[in-house]
Amino acid sequence: MPTPHIAAGPGEIAPLVLMPGDPRRGRRIAQEFFDDPRLVTDVRSIEGWTGSIRGRAVTVIASGMGIPSMSIYATELYRFYDVQRIVRVGTTGGLAEGQALGELVIASSAHTDSALPGLQIPGVSLSHAPAYGMLEAAVHAARSRSLPYRVGPVLSSDTFYGSPPEKVAALAARGTLGIEMESAGLYAIAALEGREALTVLTVSDHILRGEEVSSADRETGYAPMVEVAVEALFSETLAR
Ligand code: HPA
């Protein structure tokens, strides 16, 4: 500590971490949700902010895009900063019928077309799944706020552009709720390090209908997702 990608000193990262993909969103979350946010790292412009919410210490730091970048930050946070829980907050391209833009997706598993999580145990296709206690808390938080949400699998893809339509259709036919690019990496690293993880996403576009939210809505529409993620981070059970 510091690590190759995080410059924070000992004790400057909280055990509970919110992790958007985009560093600017991380800064906005710190400004809007934290009391007394302070910048604790900015290696490669990936800013990490530590502050408190309702008196409890929280850090927000971005993952960057894709499973390799997510895997680096998640490993360094769990292994070298003793982080206990990471909740990814991000966007997803929706795949489900009737799913509106702005709905939440709570990822109860993450399929992937990436080789990286599969490298861990040769010959075994690991299940990339969140911590059940945090999943339950997120579902409760979304339901009690009357937010539109779905719980189910997402695809963590290595590609943003050019997914073949038949692949997308086959995923949708198997109940996949959305495509994003990081959750399988986060869940795989959490399992490897013996820590907890969860992903809460906002549907920013619908892949099958070809719709997307305006950039103004993208900037303001993430607050419900962050509120749900915070409830998951603060939930009592450390159920594994
Ligand atoms: N693909 C991958 N990641 C995404 C998408 C998408 O369509 N939308 C938001 N994140």
Side-chain angles (χ1 to χ4, degrees):
M1 206 171 337
T3 64
H5 306 93
I6 303 174
E12 287 189 319
I13 301 240
L16 306 179
V17 170
L18 283 170
M19 189 171 260
D22 174 358
R24 279 195 315 182
R25 175 150 307 161
R27 185 194 300 186
R28 276 197 215 106
I29 289 171
Q31 287 166 347
E32 288 171 30
F33 289 85
F34 287 13
D35 294 321
D36 305 321
R38 59 185 190 284
L39 185 67
V40 294
T41 178
D42 63 355
V43 178
R44 291 176 180 242
S45 298
I46 297 281
E47 294 180 0
W49 294 82
T50 295
S52 62
I53 299 177
R54 306 199 301 259
R56 296 180 71 168
V58 184
T59 293
V60 61
I61 181 169
S63 64
M65 288 180 283
I67 286 176
S69 183
M70 164 59 88
S71 301
I72 288 169
Y73 290 103
T75 299
E76 293 184 7
L77 290 167
Y78 287 135
R79 193 178 294 175
F80 303 114
Y81 288 93
D82 209 21
V83 165
Q84 300 299 311
R85 291 176 158 177
I86 298 175
V87 178
R88 160 165 159 70
V89 285
T91 57
T92 184
L95 289 180
E97 215 174 295
Q99 190 178 34
L101 303 186
E103 270 190 28
L104 300 184
V105 171
I106 301 168
S108 59
S109 61
H111 311 313
T112 188
D113 55 18
S114 166
L116 206 120
L119 297 177
Q120 291 185 348
I121 308 178
V124 174
S125 163
L126 283 172
S127 301
H128 307 297
Y132 178 72
M134 288 208 291
L135 176 75
E136 189 180 60
V139 171
H140 177 74
R143 189 185 293 138
S144 62
R145 287 167 173 73
S146 300
L147 295 169
Y149 72 94
R150 296 178 197 227
V151 183
V154 299
L155 174 74
S156 302
S157 178
D158 264 356
T159 54
F160 185 85
Y161 295 106
S163 290
E166 40 313 340
K167 177 173 165 180
V168 172
L171 286 160
R174 286 160 178 77
T176 311
L177 298 179
I179 304 183
E180 50 89 79
M181 300 186 72
E182 291 82 19
S183 296
L186 174 60
Y187 291 180
I189 297 295
L192 191 61
E193 299 293 328
R195 301 291 163 82
E196 297 198 348
L198 177 70
T199 289
V200 183
L201 302 162
T202 302
V203 178
S204 60
D205 50 280
H206 198 284
I207 295 171
L208 302 176
R209 293 200 305 269
E211 293 171 13
E212 57 182 74
V213 292
S214 66
S215 43
D217 285 350
R218 204 183 263 263
E219 292 311 318
T220 56
Y222 60 85
M225 163 176 75
V226 175
E227 286 173 22
V228 167
V230 168
E231 294 308 322
L233 272 183
F234 288 179
S235 61
E236 286 309 318
T237 41
L238 283 162
R240 294 241 159 96

